[in-house]
Amino acid sequence: FLKNMEEMETRPFQGVVLRFAGPGNKPAFWYTFSREAWDPAEVDRVLEDLKQCKPERLRDNFLLVNANPGDVDWFDDEGFAVIVDHWRAAARVAKQGGCKGILFDPEAYREPYAQFRYSAQPQFGEHSFEEYYQKARQRGREMMTAVTEEYPDITIFSFFMLSATRLVAERENPQAALAGDGYGLLPPFIDGWLDVLPPEVTLIDGCESAYRYNTEVQYLDAANAIKGVCQRLVSPENRYKYRAQVQVSFGMYLDAYVNPPDSNWYIDPGDDSVAERLRKNTEIALRVCDEYVWVYGEKANWWPSPGKHERGTWPEALPGIEDALLAAGDPVRLALKRLEQAGPDAANMIVNGDFSQPNAATPDGAVVLGGEPGGPPGWGFWQSNSSHGTRVWDREVGADAPGSASMAGVSWGCFTQGFPAQPGERYVVVARCKSQGKQGWPTIRVRWQTAEGKWYAEHLDRILDPRGPEDGWREIIGMATVPEGAGKLFILLQSGGQVSAEDICWFDDVRVVKVE
């Protein structure tokens, strides 16, 4: 992470998952469910390594812990005391090392492959499932108590929580059905977390089963199940905490986008390119989830890896992947990238975007005189019937030079300008704005008309908000793609909520640039 951070921060992510290992692969936090104690000196070395990392962009980082080897019986007090110490150490390293929290992978990858399977427990024949259920809940309480003592407002991200036992939750008698499920002891373990969970802690169900989702309905259905029917596996007294503090997330499995169609792990892109289908699915996942979407793939690397197997990079394996993920997760960053690629001389589709001209010329050289009386040339103006504000072409105030569009006392209104555009075309929208007074907020709305001039597909409008401190000129930037059926793109420089003539907002330096 430290060695490759500069390269890693160019990738389309806000954070990474970190797995640490000392000499001999110990203390590999991979082996959290082990009776073998970690050497405190090695744990401290891991922490010192992590403290050296000062990322600027990758800030939501998680420390990986696993349910391996998973060979400690839930009734083994001494063994679980060590496991609790492992969790405590991981929480301390995450907190002091600046991580957002811990990422827990409940899947067992080492023998006996079954920390949460009732029938695989060493004392299976000596205790009923109900006894194991209560013991797992106790261990969950012990673990969460230790973790929150070290990191009171931690985020615990799990590749899956109760999403893994959804089918059990839907059965007539879920508690009885858990006994035969491979993760039957995971719900009581999580119930134990909830028993002692402080209100500052966030739990995340990563819904790993989303690896093959390819429709919006699948994401919506899973989110509804995690927040809904899965509560049947939580004790009634903990369901309020569960609803309030468990977030829905989704995993994107990149291999499914590059595997051949006969693979069991394959996502059909349909009429889209593979990168476009990834973008659409990631956008859906981000819209449906509470906060995070996570990305995993085994067939390529994002940055140099110390692993033994040489693999190519994901941009080589799936061309367009970076822009696809940026478009879904950080469209402003993508817009800035596209604008830089277009260059300063790229044609501006907006006429008189700097509000400096007494006449406004269209790109084909035609001259547009005036505009709305008193307003900036080339720009229309609209306000609702209940709004009685004023709008002017302010020839004195501007971001870098005199000239701007200004409105005051407008409870709901906008300056407007449009131009012909074709479906599938992409445009970067850039502007600057400034506000004065106690009320009102400026935004830009990108809207669509048909070629015949009728407003179209309002549900596909894009609303762009200002960024930066509110005491000066602020930047508005974003991207918009012309939808099918549209024939014109309109820019609306909006103001809402102004109540008096002292409430004023200005817009300047409006650019709309067509990009690839």
Side-chain angles (χ1 to χ4, degrees), residues 254-273:
L254 298 182
D255 289 26
Y257 291 86
V258 297
N259 282 335
D262 60 352
S263 169
N264 289 328
W265 297 94
Y266 172 73
I267 288 179
D268 185 353
D271 295 331
D272 296 323
S273 69

Side-chain angles (χ1 to χ4, degrees), residues 259-340:
N259 282 335
D262 60 352
S263 169
N264 289 328
W265 297 94
Y266 172 73
I267 288 179
D268 185 353
D271 295 331
D272 296 323
S273 69
V274 175
E276 182 67 4
R277 179 51 60 98
L278 174 62
R279 179 192 67 80
K280 289 181 178 179
N281 284 343
T282 307
E283 283 186 348
I284 292 170
L286 283 164
R287 186 166 62 248
V288 175
C289 77
D290 288 298
E291 186 173 4
Y292 293 106
V293 167
W294 53 282
V295 175
Y296 175 68
E298 300 169 284
K299 289 200 167 183
N301 292 327
W302 283 103
W303 36 75
S305 171
K308 297 179 180 179
H309 303 291
E310 291 294 330
R311 299 180 293 187
T313 67
W314 275 110
E316 294 169 338
L318 204 167
I321 185 174
E322 290 190 275
D323 284 354
L325 293 176
L326 271 179
D330 197 346
V332 169
R333 187 175 165 196
L334 179 60
L336 290 169
K337 176 181 175 181
R338 285 284 191 261
L339 196 61
E340 181 180 4

Side-chain angles (χ1 to χ4, degrees), residues 464-486:
L464 310 178
D465 294 308
R467 304 187 306 156
E470 298 184 8
D471 57 353
W473 285 95
R474 308 169 71 192
E475 184 180 55
I476 301 177
I477 185 167
M479 289 187 67
T481 301
V482 182
E484 290 295 327

Side-chain angles (χ1 to χ4, degrees), residues 47 99 115 179 362 392 426 498:
L47 177 56
C99 291
Q115 184 64 65
T362 60
V392 299
R426 290 186 178 183
Q498 295 179 339

Side-chain angles (χ1 to χ4, degrees), residues 25-46:
N25 210 31
K26 300 175 183 178
F29 290 2
W30 180 281
Y31 299 109
T32 309
F33 280 74
S34 165
R35 66 179 65 255
E36 184 176 350
W38 293 342
D39 182 348
E42 293 299 333
V43 174
D44 287 342
R45 285 180 55 183
V46 168

